[in-house]
Amino acid sequence: MAVDYLQRKGYTILERDWKSGHRDLDIIALDGNVLVFVEVKTRTNRLFTDPIEAVGYQKIRNLQQAANHYVKYRHADCDIRFDIVCITGTDESEAEIEHIEDAF
């Protein structure tokens, strides 16, 4: 759902589930000339926690380290950004999608 959503917004998807050791990047995309690392969080509902709350300090640190590896590996020379896509619900037709650009 997140990939479809981003593609509809005009993003070009470069990688999905890219691994750097035990760290991973859910989606790597281009938004114009900006390289975007997208963390996807899903929840069936908001009863216990908001999906955004699952992205804490350690997760951010891991994402930054994996992104640094990706940039060096691909020799990327462009601006970068970290986004979060939160999906709440299980049915594609009724799921809520919240896209937080430049989340951290």
Side-chain angles (χ1 to χ4, degrees):
M1 278 192 276
V3 166
D4 291 341
Y5 171 82
L6 292 169
Q7 287 176 324
R8 285 193 307 271
K9 287 187 73 173
Y11 287 57
T12 301
I13 306 302
L14 302 176
E15 308 267 359
R16 294 176 67 175
D17 299 320
W18 191 82
K19 305 279 188 238
S20 173
H22 67 277
R23 298 176 181 96
D24 71 312
L25 298 165
D26 293 335
I27 300 172
I28 303 169
L30 281 174
D31 180 18
N33 293 326
V34 178
L35 184 62
V36 184
F37 299 97
V38 182
E39 176 66 11
V40 179
K41 289 296 174 190
T42 60
R43 298 290 183 267
T44 54
N45 57 52
R46 294 181 188 265
L47 291 177
F48 298 107
T49 183
D50 201 359
I52 188 74
E53 294 173 15
V55 183
Y57 171 78
Q58 189 61 45
K59 183 63 176 177
I60 290 171
R61 192 162 171 253
N62 285 337
L63 292 169
Q64 290 171 331
Q65 290 174 346
N68 184 50
H69 181 207
Y70 182 85
V71 166
K72 288 178 180 177
Y73 176 72
R74 294 288 186 202
H75 306 288
D77 185 22
C78 57
D79 291 335
I80 66 167
R81 186 176 82 214
F82 292 89
D83 290 5
I84 301 172
V85 171
C86 302
I87 301 172
T88 306
T90 55
D91 186 337
E92 280 190 48
S93 63
E94 295 182 18
E96 292 178 34
I97 298 177
E98 180 182 3
H99 181 194
I100 302 158
E101 293 184 17
D102 203 15
F104 51 89

